[in-house]
Amino acid sequence: MMNYTLLRDVISLVEDYEKSADYPAYGPGVEGFKKWICHREQSVLLQDNEPYWEGKENGRGPDSVINTLLVHLNRYAKTYSKAAIHDSEFSTQEEFIYLINLKAFGPMTKMQLIKKNIHDKSAGIKIIHRLLEHEWIEQKTSSEDKRSKIIYLTVKGSETLEKQMLKIRKATQIVTGNLTSHEKMELIRLLDKLDRFHRPIYSENISPGDLLEKVNAQYLPGKN
């Protein structure tokens, strides 16, 4: 006589999946169901192995910890970036990051380059002006839109960047520290998820006075 307990359990699990709030994100089908189970089990494991952080016993929440650690990591990264351009022709890390983006993604408009680096217009224009003064980039009028300027990486800019790339690569390796390959992939996944959440908000250019309320209302309704 066959035992259908396992089959009933699987059907019940499928029902839970289709009723879950995560269902639209994973979608119908076996692949979505497998990912849902996998991530659910990972969440259980994380809850069982929840890390300790300073102030946890006094009610300090994970949001506060994540924000603090991101700020710390940004400062560490800037320290290594300064070391990477020490005794070079670069004045700031933004200068070589702009050149790296042009080398990686090719010519683009001023605003595309500025937005790719998550800068406001005034700060981005100042960086571009410095790069133009060094003759590391050049700008040409767009053939599609005469009002736009297309930014190109020059031979001089490429050579200047290449001279410093060994130190820049060392700096980026130091920033990821003692993470394993698997941990790096997981961190990329999580940071990319956060980046995809924040980028459209940033692109709206919401005024500081309205930003927090609008984001909470439109993007985080479940947290209100």
Side-chain angles (χ1 to χ4, degrees):
M1 182 176 179
M2 295 184 67
N3 188 335
Y4 294 100
T5 302
L6 177 60
L7 183 58
R8 285 194 292 268
D9 288 344
V10 171
I11 292 173
S12 177
L13 196 58
V14 171
E15 289 176 347
D16 290 343
Y17 168 57
E18 292 183 345
K19 292 176 182 177
S20 73
D22 296 326
Y23 180 72
Y26 292 98
V30 175
E31 290 303 316
F33 180 55
K34 288 193 296 185
K35 289 178 182 177
W36 176 75
I37 292 176
C38 180
H39 291 162
R40 195 175 77 151
E41 291 304 311
Q42 286 178 344
S43 297
V44 171
L45 288 173
L46 286 173
Q47 288 172 5
D48 291 341
N49 298 280
E50 188 175 272
Y52 170 80
W53 56 79
E54 187 177 10
K56 186 176 184 179
E57 64 278 6
N58 297 320
R60 187 185 185 200
D63 291 336
S64 171
V65 177
I66 291 169
N67 275 271
T68 299
L69 291 176
L70 287 175
V71 169
H72 288 180
L73 285 168
N74 181 51
R75 290 174 181 165
Y76 301 146
K78 283 187 175 180
T79 300
Y80 296 123
S81 290
K82 287 180 181 178
I85 61 175
H86 181 66
D87 286 337
S88 76
E89 297 179 69
F90 293 110
S91 301
T92 66
Q93 67 171 352
E94 284 79 13
E95 291 175 356
F96 75 74
I97 290 173
Y98 270 52
L99 296 187
I100 287 174
N101 276 317
L102 286 171
K103 189 175 182 66
F105 301 105
M108 62 187 81
T109 66
K110 284 184 178 179
M111 288 311 301
Q112 285 173 334
L113 183 57
I114 291 169
K115 288 180 179 179
K116 188 168 283 292
N117 289 280
I118 316 297
H119 277 140
D120 59 54
K121 184 177 180 179
S122 59
I125 292 296
K126 287 179 181 178
I127 296 166
I128 289 172
H129 281 168
R130 292 203 301 271
L131 298 178
L132 286 168
E133 288 173 1
H134 284 289
E135 298 180 345
W136 293 337
I137 62 171
E138 61 180 354
Q139 57 181 354
K140 298 178 182 178
T141 302
S142 171
S143 59
E144 297 178 359
D145 183 354
K146 300 300 181 182
R147 296 168 298 177
S148 295
K149 297 289 186 181
I150 304 297
I151 304 296
Y152 296 80
L153 179 67
T154 64
V155 173
K156 183 179 179 181
S158 183
E159 289 174 349
T160 304
L161 181 62
E162 192 57 37
K163 286 179 187 177
Q164 217 60 30
M165 279 309 298
L166 180 60
K167 284 188 175 181
I168 292 171
R169 291 190 186 100
K170 284 182 178 179
T172 59
Q173 289 170 356
I174 292 171
V175 171
T176 57
N178 57 351
L179 294 179
T180 65
S181 178
H182 174 76
E183 288 169 336
K184 288 177 185 178
M185 296 304 105
E186 182 63 13
L187 184 58
I188 289 171
R189 186 184 70 80
L190 293 173
L191 292 176
D192 181 64
K193 182 177 181 179
L194 277 176
D195 185 68
R196 282 185 280 109
F197 171 80
H198 290 291
R199 191 171 289 270
I201 298 172
Y202 178 82
S203 298
E204 285 191 52
N205 293 315
I206 305 169
S207 67
D210 299 326
L211 181 61
L212 299 182
E213 291 301 322
K214 188 169 182 179
V215 172
N216 270 284
Q218 294 186 8
Y219 292 89
L220 295 170
K223 286 194 172 184
N224 295 329

